[in-house]
């Protein structure tokens, strides 16, 4: 599937994800073959791809470039030769490793936001900003609010504190991160099909906006301070 962005005239209004979308991935996890995929491609197109493209079109104006990722796996250098991803991903934000994501799979909807794949320069900018009393305290407040609302911090981090960081630094745990994001999962059993998904995604990304904005401002090499 080619990547679709906001602006396509034939994209429908997003009305949520039907229950068949989650069942599609439940079956794909058991039968990840080209034969199974092509026999159920109509379900993928109507219940997964089209709603994702409609959601991308609605979110694009507020969150920037939105991409719906192709379902095929790149198996050229992988030991696992399963041809298809067992999830459908959507990302939004800048091209500088920052932004929001949404993943639909058999379990439900996973959404998150942050930075992934930081360069050495970005890691240095991140640590300088965390170390700074003003910007570091601002990030700590953002993180505290997110974790209190059941968001989980994820990202690559050191086993110990960075070299030269004092053990009693007030934000030593944040300084350990080399990439930083927050995410959470809404399970199918929580009633996330249909219109409920619209509210979940919008409210979720709105909640993540302070974290993404902080990272964009202090870490991005294209738009940082």
């Amino acid at each position: 599937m080619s990547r679709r962005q906001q602006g396509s005239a034939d994209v429908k209004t997003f009305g949520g994800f039907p229950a068949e979308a989650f069942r599609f991935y439940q079956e794909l996890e058991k039968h990840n073959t080209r034969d199974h995929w092509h026999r159920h491609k109509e379900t993928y197109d109507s219940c997964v791809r089209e709603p994702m493209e409609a959601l991308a079109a609605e979110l694009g104006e507020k969150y920037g470039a939105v991409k719906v990722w192709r379902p095929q796996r790149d198996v050229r250098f992988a030991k696992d030769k399963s041809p298809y991803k067992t999830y459908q991903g959507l990302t939004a934000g800048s091209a500088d490793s920052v932004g929001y994501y949404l993943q639909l799979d058999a379990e439900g909807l996973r959404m998150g936001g942050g930075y992934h794949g930081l360069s050495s320069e970005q890691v240095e900018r991140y640590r300088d900003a965390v170390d700074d009393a003003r910007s570091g305290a601002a990030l700590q407040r953002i993180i505290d609010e997110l974790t209190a609302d059941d968001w989980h911090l994820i990202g690559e981090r050191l086993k110990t504190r960075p070299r030269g960081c004092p053990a009693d630094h007030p934000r030593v745990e944040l300084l350990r991160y080399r990439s930083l994001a927050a995410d959470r999962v809404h399970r199918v059993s929580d009633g996330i099909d249909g219109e409920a998904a619209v509210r979940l995604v919008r409210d979720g990304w709105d909640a993540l906006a302070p974290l993404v904005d902080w990272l964009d401002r202090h870490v991005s090499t294209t738009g940082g301070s």
Side-chain angles (χ1 to χ4, degrees), residues 154-171:
I154 58 174
E156 179 188 358
R157 60 178 185 168
L158 302 175
K159 293 182 179 180
T160 60
R161 64 185 184 274
R163 182 176 300 178
C165 173
D168 61 349
H169 193 288
R171 292 174 295 281

Side-chain angles (χ1 to χ4, degrees), residues 53-149:
E53 290 178 345
L55 179 59
E58 292 193 15
L59 294 172
E61 182 176 351
K62 181 174 183 180
Y63 293 100
V66 181
K67 296 180 180 180
V68 177
W69 296 96
R70 63 188 182 94
Q72 294 84 3
R73 296 182 63 245
D74 184 353
V75 299
R76 290 174 297 173
F77 308 106
K79 292 182 179 180
D80 179 4
K81 298 301 182 181
S82 302
Y84 300 101
K85 301 169 185 174
T86 54
Y87 61 89
Q88 176 64 65
L90 176 153
T91 55
S94 77
D96 196 27
S97 303
V98 63
Y100 307 86
Y101 65 87
L102 178 71
Q103 175 179 306
L104 184 154
D105 57 23
E107 187 178 11
L109 291 176
R110 177 184 296 275
M111 67 184 73
Y115 257 69
H116 302 275
L118 297 182
S119 67
S120 297
E121 180 185 354
Q122 288 174 316
V123 172
E124 184 177 354
R125 289 167 63 88
Y126 167 77
R127 288 179 177 160
D128 286 345
V130 173
D131 183 50
D132 180 83
R134 184 173 180 178
S135 56
L139 177 61
Q140 187 66 67
R141 288 192 296 272
I142 292 168
I143 294 301
D144 290 345
E145 290 180 5
L146 287 172
T147 54
D149 195 28

Side-chain angles (χ1 to χ4, degrees), residues 7-8 10 40 50 81 85 95 129 144 152 158 164-165 184 222:
S8 297
D10 58 344
H40 298 277
E50 290 180 4
K81 298 301 182 181
K85 301 169 185 174
D144 290 345
H152 305 284
L158 302 175
C165 173
R184 68 182 179 193
T222 60

Side-chain angles (χ1 to χ4, degrees), residues 3 59 99 118 172 203-204:
R3 297 173 184 173
L59 294 172
L118 297 182
V172 64
D203 289 353

